[in-house]
Amino acid sequence: AVALGVGARQMMTRQEGAQAPATAARLSSSGNLAAPVLHIPHTPGGITLDGDTDDPGWTTPPGPARTGPFLLPNGAVARPNSNTRLVWGDGHLYLSLFAADEDIRTRTDQPDGPLWLDDYFHLTFVRGSVEYAIDVSPRGVVTDAVRKSGGVFDYSWSSGAHVSPELDGTINNDKDMDEEWVIEMAIPFESLGLKGESGERIGFSVTRCDTPKEMPRICAGWGEVSADSARGTIVLD
């Protein structure tokens, strides 16, 4: 089910992005888009998962790594805005997932449900032939699975992710105008097959899908695999 959801998502982003103006992109020597690399700083302070990002671990210089605004497959900046910030420490990868959203939608309230049918973030980590997929909704519900060598996703796997959502708006109410939602997340390195040590690296991409009012569904992200680029990588500094 995850594979079908992701495949449909990639198809929609190609179609929706075709009309948007292209922006400059860094090319590799082969002429394809170069795979992005994000260096993640070790958190200089503690982080409390409460949906806010005002803890010392987020605010103390030099600050977290940032994906910048999510991009459509053609390199255009997506609207509504989405971005991710990352730091690491205490055996965890910490992520702040930001989503501007005028109409927050999510129907699934059970773990390992089809979160990809509504508003959600999709995280992918790849280590060798193993792919870890973690989806999270505006409610903070998590669907996670693992697969090896491109096989079937195994939903019995748990990422052990700790999640705290914060909403500025009302879920599933099209009569008002929402503003945004934020997910603060901590993923244990152990569940990704990592030790949580400086110098470790893992393939990584993050995507956010949203359906604005009276508009087609939009999916955009950082480090996604496409015909013109390879998956992104994060490195623990």
Side-chain angles (χ1 to χ4, degrees), residues 38-237:
L38 202 59
H39 288 265
I40 313 301
H42 188 275
T43 174
I47 291 179
T48 300
L49 294 184
D50 55 9
D52 293 321
T53 54
D54 54 1
D55 303 299
W58 293 115
T59 60
T60 304
R66 301 171 183 267
T67 62
F70 284 7
L71 303 179
L72 296 167
N74 66 355
V77 174
R79 293 289 183 269
N81 179 265
S82 311
N83 63 75
T84 297
R85 293 182 285 169
L86 308 93
V87 294
W88 72 277
D90 303 322
H92 291 80
L93 177 67
Y94 293 93
L95 304 97
S96 171
L97 308 171
F98 170 82
D101 198 333
E102 64 182 14
D103 188 21
I104 303 172
R105 291 279 165 178
T106 182
R107 291 167 288 183
T108 302
D109 58 6
Q110 296 298 316
D112 289 341
L115 301 181
W116 53 85
L117 297 177
D118 297 301
D119 301 342
Y120 83 121
F121 279 92
H122 175 75
L123 312 176
T124 300
F125 298 89
V126 176
R127 185 177 54 82
S129 63
V130 182
E131 178 181 348
Y132 307 90
I134 304 174
D135 295 346
V136 59
S137 77
R139 299 182 192 271
V141 177
V142 172
T143 290
D144 45 17
V146 65
R147 67 175 175 177
K148 299 179 180 179
S149 303
V152 177
F153 277 101
D154 176 9
Y155 286 91
S156 66
W157 174 77
S158 174
S159 64
H162 306 281
V163 176
S164 179
E166 182 172 273
L167 299 165
D168 189 353
T170 52
I171 294 176
N172 300 334
N173 182 358
D174 58 6
K175 301 186 184 304
D176 65 356
M177 186 69 73
D178 302 326
E179 292 201 16
E180 63 188 37
W181 52 282
V182 179
I183 296 293
E184 200 173 17
M185 173 184 285
I187 302 173
F189 283 119
E190 183 179 10
S191 68
L192 301 176
L194 299 176
K195 297 178 180 179
E197 297 177 347
S198 179
E200 285 188 306
R201 61 175 57 216
I202 191 170
F204 173 70
S205 63
V206 53
T207 305
R208 181 261 179 125
C209 288
D210 176 68
T211 305
K213 290 184 177 180
E214 301 179 357
M215 292 182 64
R217 187 165 175 79
I218 297 172
C219 298
W222 181 94
E224 290 188 280
V225 176
S226 72
D228 298 319
S229 66
R231 189 182 306 279
T233 299
I234 55 175
V235 181
L236 305 186
D237 280 354

Side-chain angles (χ1 to χ4, degrees), residues 23-36 73-75 224-231:
T23 59
R26 186 165 55 91
L27 299 180
S28 68
S29 59
S30 64
N32 293 333
L33 294 176
N74 66 355
E224 290 188 280
V225 176
S226 72
D228 298 319
S229 66
R231 189 182 306 279

